[in-house]
Amino acid sequence: MSRKLTDSHTMKNTINSPYTRFFTETIEVGRMSPFAFFEAGFQKYKEERFYWQNADQTLTLVGIGHAVTLTSDLHEERYKDISNQWNGLCNTLIKEEEDAAPILFGGFSYDPNQVLQSEWNQFPSAYFAVPSFQLKIEDGRSYVSINLVTDKPEASLEFEWLRQERDRLIHLAQVKEFSFQYDNPIVSMEERGKDRYIEAVNNVTSLIQSGKADKVVIARSLVLHFEQELSAVAALYAISNEQQESYQFALQHNDCLFFGATPERLIEMKNGKVLSACVAGSIRRGNSAEEDKQLGEALLADPKNREEHHYVVEMISKVFRTHCQQVVVPKNPKLMKIRDIQHLYTPVEGEIASESDIFTLVKALHPTPALGGVPTSAAMEIIRQEEGMDRGYYAAPIGWTDSSGNGEFAVALRSALINGKEAYLYAGGGIVADSNAEDEYDETWVKFRPVLRALGGQLNG
């Protein structure tokens, strides 16, 4: 039996059927590479895969195939729309106690009100998927689940086929020798709108000086052109090795792959406990341990970066005090050091209020001042007017939740969208009253570096 699991029209009808049932089954398997499992799905499910690994490498998720996809083209109500769809689906779930909770993985666009023709045109305002085959590696143990959403009265034959397909994928991942590296030279690199970016930074600085806003984040993009079509697993494998202390993610939608390694958690929810991270203010790494320490100390003492960081802490703390109990916020930031850059970092934690879920908090937190500005509404309007770019899912929430209400979302930084032989890279920075356009431009190159290096490019090492 050979077939494609996904038919969006059929799936939508199934979700809306009063006879819908959501089945899951989990088995424990021997150790396997998550990249091998991801690549095992290439031939039959190339456009239906995702990957996630948290920053401390205690949880890895891989999805292959689509049991169901949830989308929304709403604007402000897209978070509630996805939440309602997911809760409705979970109400039909049939599982044994020992089975792993099914995962919903996906993301939201940065700004549904920014309508421009771009490489993001095929992406909806929100896009999520429950995988047909779900690998979960946690605490050194590996589990593979089958998920099936159906409104058919008899599902045993379909489920048996899924078991056979699961076993085929596991065998491929454990036995076949996959190559995650290959030579695919960059033909050319195109800086899109460099002059516009410099002009935008100068304009925004003037607007801030005149009192229109306190801070505005302006981004820009690069396009890399390659000799051959890019390999999703090679890009993901490379950036995972490059940025081991970051959240690593990949989301495929049709023939596009959005991937990256971001240092910034937006929200984590586990058994009612909620965690977030205030990450804003940055400086490069030093060429020696001594220089690195000096740069870090300078960052901690720098008024511009401390002000930028304070905006983020203030906003996230306010959201937590609205939606959580027993909120804890340290008084001073510390340093987060990753390969190419140092950031100011302040963790925030609390306990979720009963009327909220992870999507409620994602909505309340996005965009943080680190990705939008202060005040938010004014900054967003300035971004739409000055930036001239559709950010798509860049700088937006990406992550997962499960049927138990746990989950984690990161902010999709240090990322790129791959489509065939092209890769679109994105980077930005916070503009305040004393910003200098050339300095901001130089900082974006530091932020481009991880993805550029992962795709085979170089930027001063």
Side-chain angles (χ1 to χ4, degrees):
M1 182 177 181
S2 178
R3 65 183 178 89
K4 182 176 174 66
L5 292 180
T6 302
D7 180 323
S8 59
H9 179 72
T10 301
M11 272 200 284
K12 197 166 188 67
N13 289 340
T14 300
I15 295 172
N16 294 328
S17 168
Y19 307 106
T20 295
R21 291 170 297 162
F22 183 6
F23 295 101
T24 191
E25 177 184 274
T26 303
I27 61 170
E28 186 169 1
V29 297
R31 287 181 176 271
M32 73 172 79
S33 161
F35 301 108
F37 189 73
F38 183 88
E39 191 63 358
F42 174 80
Q43 189 164 0
K44 292 181 70 173
Y45 312 104
K46 178 183 176 182
E47 300 176 358
E48 300 176 352
R49 297 179 292 173
F50 69 73
Y51 180 94
W52 171 272
Q53 186 175 81
N54 63 4
D56 58 11
Q57 300 184 23
T58 58
L59 175 67
T60 304
L61 302 171
V62 181
I64 297 176
H66 287 167
V68 69
T69 57
L70 307 181
T71 63
S72 179
D73 279 313
L74 300 178
H75 289 192
E76 289 302 312
E77 294 303 314
R78 57 191 176 149
Y79 306 97
K80 188 64 175 176
D81 189 14
I82 294 295
S83 178
N84 288 341
Q85 291 182 58
W86 176 234
N87 289 332
L89 194 58
C90 289
N91 287 337
T92 70
L93 179 63
I94 299 170
K95 68 183 285 292
E96 300 294 333
E97 187 175 345
E98 64 270 17
D99 291 322
I103 297 292
L104 180 73
F105 183 88
F108 297 90
S109 66
Y110 180 82
D111 181 8
N113 293 307
Q114 178 69 296
V115 182
L116 296 171
Q117 290 297 309
S118 75
E119 63 272 15
W120 293 99
N121 284 348
Q122 63 178 287
F123 283 76
S125 177
Y127 174 73
F128 286 81
V130 177
S132 298
F133 308 101
Q134 169 185 310
L135 171 65
K136 181 179 184 180
I137 303 175
E138 188 172 30
D139 300 327
R141 302 175 73 177
S142 301
Y143 306 87
V144 176
S145 299
I146 296 167
N147 297 311
L148 173 64
V149 177
T150 183
D151 61 355
K152 297 176 182 177
E154 178 53 60
S156 58
L157 288 177
E158 190 168 11
F159 211 85
E160 184 56 36
W161 181 87
L162 289 169
R163 290 190 180 106
Q164 294 175 21
E165 183 69 354
R166 172 200 63 197
D167 294 345
R168 183 185 73 83
L169 292 167
I170 292 170
H171 181 264
L172 268 179
Q174 291 179 331
V175 174
K176 186 174 179 180
E177 294 185 10
F178 290 104
S179 175
F180 304 135
Q181 298 175 327
Y182 70 105
D183 185 26
N184 188 7
I186 297 174
V187 175
S188 63
M189 180 170 68
E190 170 192 350
E191 286 194 69
R192 295 200 297 183
K194 175 185 173 180
D195 292 340
R196 176 163 188 152
Y197 172 80
I198 296 294
E199 181 183 1
V201 173
N202 287 326
N203 290 345
V204 169
T205 302
S206 297
L207 289 170
I208 292 170
Q209 290 171 348
S210 66
K212 302 296 184 183
D214 296 316
K215 173 191 171 183
V216 180
V217 178
I218 296 295
R220 69 187 190 96
S221 66
L222 301 177
V223 186
L224 306 181
H225 304 274
F226 293 82
E227 282 189 358
Q228 307 166 41
E229 184 171 321
L230 284 151
S231 163
V233 73
L236 182 56
Y237 180 77
I239 202 165
S240 295
N241 285 331
E242 289 278 352
Q243 303 288 313
Q244 295 186 19
E245 59 280 272
S246 295
Y247 292 89
Q248 292 130 29
F249 63 88
L251 175 64
Q252 292 194 287
H253 179 56
N254 296 335
D255 53 0
C256 291
L257 174 84
F258 181 51
F259 84 105
T262 177
E264 187 166 344
R265 171 202 284 149
L266 184 66
I267 194 76
E268 179 184 8
M269 189 179 298
K270 188 172 184 179
N271 301 325
K273 186 175 182 179
V274 188
L275 303 170
S276 188
C278 308
V279 181
S282 59
I283 200 168
R284 67 178 177 86
R285 297 299 303 270
N287 294 319
S288 66
E290 183 179 356
E291 184 189 21
D292 201 60
K293 182 181 178 182
Q294 291 172 350
L295 288 168
E297 290 173 350
L299 177 61
L300 286 166
D302 181 62
K304 172 186 177 294
N305 281 287
R306 288 295 292 261
E307 180 184 26
E308 186 178 342
H309 188 77
H310 173 73
Y311 288 139
V312 180
V313 174
E314 192 174 57
M315 181 267 198
I316 291 179
S317 300
K318 183 179 179 181
V319 169
F320 265 58
R321 292 187 177 106
T322 300
H323 297 281
C324 301
Q325 302 166 345
Q326 300 182 22
V327 178
V328 178
V329 186
K331 290 183 178 179
N332 295 303
K334 51 188 176 180
L335 293 174
M336 174 190 287
K337 295 175 181 274
I338 53 180
R339 179 169 178 178
D340 297 291
I341 199 166
Q342 306 182 57
H343 293 286
L344 294 177
Y345 163 72
T346 299
V348 181
E349 63 180 67
E351 293 183 10
I352 191 71
S354 58
E355 66 275 10
S356 299
D357 67 2
I358 196 165
F359 293 108
T360 305
L361 286 164
V362 170
K363 177 183 179 181
L365 289 169
H366 176 72
T368 70
L371 284 310
V374 179
T376 301
S377 58
M380 293 295 284
E381 282 301 320
I382 292 171
I383 291 169
R384 292 179 194 123
Q385 293 167 12
E386 298 292 340
E387 193 172 79
M389 182 180 80
D390 180 4
R391 295 189 184 185
Y393 284 28
Y394 161 69
I398 189 165
W400 64 274
T401 187
D402 65 18
S403 59
S404 298
N406 299 317
E408 189 165 21
F409 279 77
V411 181
L413 304 175
R414 316 297 185 267
S415 55
L417 181 69
I418 291 175
N419 189 346
K421 298 180 181 180
E422 277 71 50
Y424 302 83
L425 285 62
Y426 309 91
I431 312 304
V432 292
D434 60 350
S435 290
N436 176 276
E438 290 298 330
D439 290 343
E440 298 296 336
Y441 174 78
D442 290 342
E443 184 177 314
T444 61
W445 279 114
V446 176
K447 294 173 178 177
F448 280 131
R449 185 178 290 160
V451 179
L452 184 61
R453 190 190 294 117
L455 293 174
Q458 292 293 322
L459 182 64
N460 301 325

